[in-house]
Amino acid sequence: MEADGFVRRRRVTAETAGNDPGVAGASAGAEVRWLGGRFWGVSESIVGSLTPRIGGETELQNVGFIRNAQGAQTEDSEPDYEGLPQGASTSTHMLAGAVAGIMEHCLMFPIDCVKTRMQSLQPDPAARYRNVMDALRRIITTEGVWRPMRGLNATALGAGPAHALYFACYEKLKKTLSDVIHPGANSHLANGTAGCVATLLHDAVMNPAEVVKQRMQMYNSPYRGVLDCIRAVWQKEGPAAFYRSYTTQLTMNVPFQALHFMTYEYLQELLNPHRQYNPSSHMLSGALAGAIAAAATTPLDVCKTLLNTQESLTLGSLSSGQGPGQGQGQGQGAHRQISGLAHAFRTVYRLGGLQGFFKGVQARVIYQMPSTAISWSVYEFFKYGLTKHQHKRRAQHMEA
C-alpha cells in the first residue's frame, strides 16, 4: 500500500493542470543538479548501504501493480522529486532524523559554545564578549583552536537517538492527528501537538548530554573530558543533577517546538504547496521557523543554561546576600545549588534585570537559523532518498 500511494502521488504530480510531464522531469533534473552531482552520488551510496538493514517493512502483495509502477518510472529517465513520500516507514524517519540531528549539532557546535558563554549571568572578565564573532576570535586565540569544540562528543552521542525518536514520533502523531482533526489536509493544531509530544522523548534523551556539554563549554571549565565531567557531577551532585533542568527544558522546548513546527509547516504551504522535495524551500522554512522560535524562547533558555552550569560566580553572589530572599544572617551554605525554574527566574532577574533574560539572544538566533535549516534539509533529503531506494528494491524483488 505504501507503493500504491507513492505512485499515485507521482502521477498526480505529473498530471496536474498546467504541468507537462516532460517539464516536471526537467525541473526535477535541475533540482538534482542544484544539490550537486557529487554529493548526490555519495549520498545514494550511503542510502544503498543503510537500506538493507532497515527492518519492519511491509511486503507488497500486488505484483501486477509493481510492474505498473516500474513502467511508470521508465516514462522518463529521471524520477521527479516526489513530495517526501507519506509511505515512509518509522525506521526511515528514525534513521533520517538521527543523521539530521548529528549533523545539525556538530556543524553548529562552535556557535552553541559561544551562546552558552554569552548567557552567563556573571562571566569572568576574560569571558565577556561584544558579539558572536568577537567571542569566537577570542576563544580561539586565547584558549586554542579546538576549545569551541569541547563537549562535541557528548552532544553527538545524545543527538542521534534523541532526534531519531523526535522525528519518528512527530511524523507518526502528525499523520494520526491530522486524519482525525482535518482528514485529507494539513492541520496546524496536529503539527503543534505532535511537536510537543515529540519534545518529551527528545529531551528525556538529550538533557544529560546538554548538562555535560554546557559545563564543558564554560570558561575555565575544570573538567578534563566528558567522562571526567560525568563522574564529577555524579559524585558531587548526584544523578538528579543530569535532569535538574529537565522541567525547564520542557517548559522552553514545548512552546519552541510547537512554534517551530507550526511555522515550518505553514511556510511549506506557502513556498512548497505541492509538498515536493525542494531543498531551497526546506532550508528557508527551517531557518525562519528556527529564528522565530529561538527569539521567543530565549528567556527560558537563559534559565536552562543557569540550571545546567550552576555558575560558581553566580552561586557566590547569592551566598553573599545578593540572592532572592537572602537575609543578613544567612551563611555560605544557603545557596549551594540553583534548583527549579522559579528559583532560576528569580536569580536571573535579581542579577541581570529584564535584560538578563535576553543574554545571548543574538547568538541563539544565529545558532538556530542555520541549525534548523540543516536539520530539515538533511532530514527531508535522507527521508526521500531512503524511501525511494526502498521502493526500488521492493519492485526489483517482486519482479524477480
Side-chain angles (χ1 to χ4, degrees), residues 102 141 199 261 273 278 286 321 348 354 394:
I102 292 172
T141 55
T199 300
F261 280 115
N278 187 331
V348 172
L354 291 176
R394 285 199 192 95

Side-chain angles (χ1 to χ4, degrees), residues 41-344:
V42 172
S43 301
E44 280 286 315
S45 65
I46 294 174
V47 168
S49 65
L50 291 173
T51 303
R53 291 193 288 272
I54 299 177
E57 304 297 336
T58 305
E59 293 294 334
L60 297 178
Q61 298 178 359
N62 192 334
V63 178
F65 175 76
I66 291 298
R67 295 182 184 276
N68 291 336
Q70 289 178 324
Q73 282 192 337
T74 60
E75 291 174 3
D76 44 67
S77 57
E78 184 96 43
D80 62 337
Y81 267 96
E82 193 57 49
L84 306 174
Q86 298 298 311
S89 66
T90 299
S91 55
T92 296
H93 294 145
M94 294 185 74
L95 181 56
V99 174
I102 292 172
M103 289 189 67
E104 167 197 348
H105 285 281
C106 290
L107 291 176
M108 298 306 302
F109 196 82
I111 307 299
D112 185 53
C113 175
V114 170
K115 176 188 75 73
T116 298
R117 291 199 181 190
M118 293 183 75
Q119 287 179 336
S120 175
L121 291 178
Q122 293 189 326
D124 187 279
R128 293 174 182 171
Y129 314 110
R130 294 190 302 272
N131 52 50
V132 175
M133 294 309 299
D134 176 59
L136 272 177
R137 180 183 59 79
R138 289 176 57 186
I139 291 172
I140 291 172
T141 55
T142 61
E143 302 175 51
V145 67
W146 295 111
R147 186 61 180 83
M149 305 302 291
R150 286 198 80 206
L152 176 62
N153 44 356
T155 299
L157 288 173
H163 279 72
L165 293 172
Y166 172 69
F167 278 109
C169 179
Y170 172 72
E171 294 280 6
K172 180 67 175 177
L173 280 178
K174 180 181 74 170
K175 184 179 184 306
T176 303
L177 294 175
S178 292
D179 290 343
V180 174
I181 298 172
H182 198 172
N186 184 40
S187 169
H188 295 301
L189 178 60
N191 299 334
T193 304
C196 292
V197 176
T199 300
L200 299 176
L201 294 176
H202 173 274
D203 289 358
V205 176
M206 198 66 190
N207 205 85
E210 281 282 317
V211 172
V212 175
K213 175 202 74 174
Q214 291 196 309
R215 293 199 180 209
M216 295 186 67
Q217 286 175 333
M218 296 299 287
Y219 180 75
N220 273 342
S221 173
Y223 309 108
R224 294 188 302 273
V226 170
L227 293 179
D228 179 51
C229 180
I230 294 173
R231 182 169 55 251
V233 173
W234 186 285
Q235 291 175 351
K236 295 178 182 178
E237 303 175 44
F242 293 103
Y243 281 93
R244 184 182 290 124
S245 66
Y246 183 56
T247 54
T248 303
Q249 183 100 336
L250 289 179
T251 305
M252 175 187 72
N253 277 348
V254 166
F256 175 91
Q257 297 299 352
L259 188 57
H260 169 210
F261 280 115
M262 288 167 60
T263 304
Y264 177 81
E265 298 287 356
Y266 173 73
L267 290 172
Q268 281 292 286
E269 287 182 349
L270 296 179
L271 302 175
N272 188 17
H274 298 297
R275 306 312 289 266
Q276 295 178 326
Y277 175 69
N278 187 331
S280 58
S281 77
H282 300 318
M283 293 185 71
L284 181 59
S285 299
L288 291 176
I292 293 170
T297 57
T298 295
L300 290 164
D301 193 45
V302 172
C303 294
K304 182 207 75 172
T305 298
L306 178 60
L307 286 168
N308 278 345
T309 58
Q310 299 290 310
E311 300 172 41
S312 57
L313 289 177
T314 299
L315 293 175
S317 296
L318 296 180
S319 296
S320 64
Q322 298 179 35
Q326 280 288 112
Q328 294 296 323
Q330 288 180 290
Q332 290 289 325
H335 282 284
R336 291 186 184 136
Q337 293 178 357
I338 297 171
S339 58
L341 179 58
H343 192 178

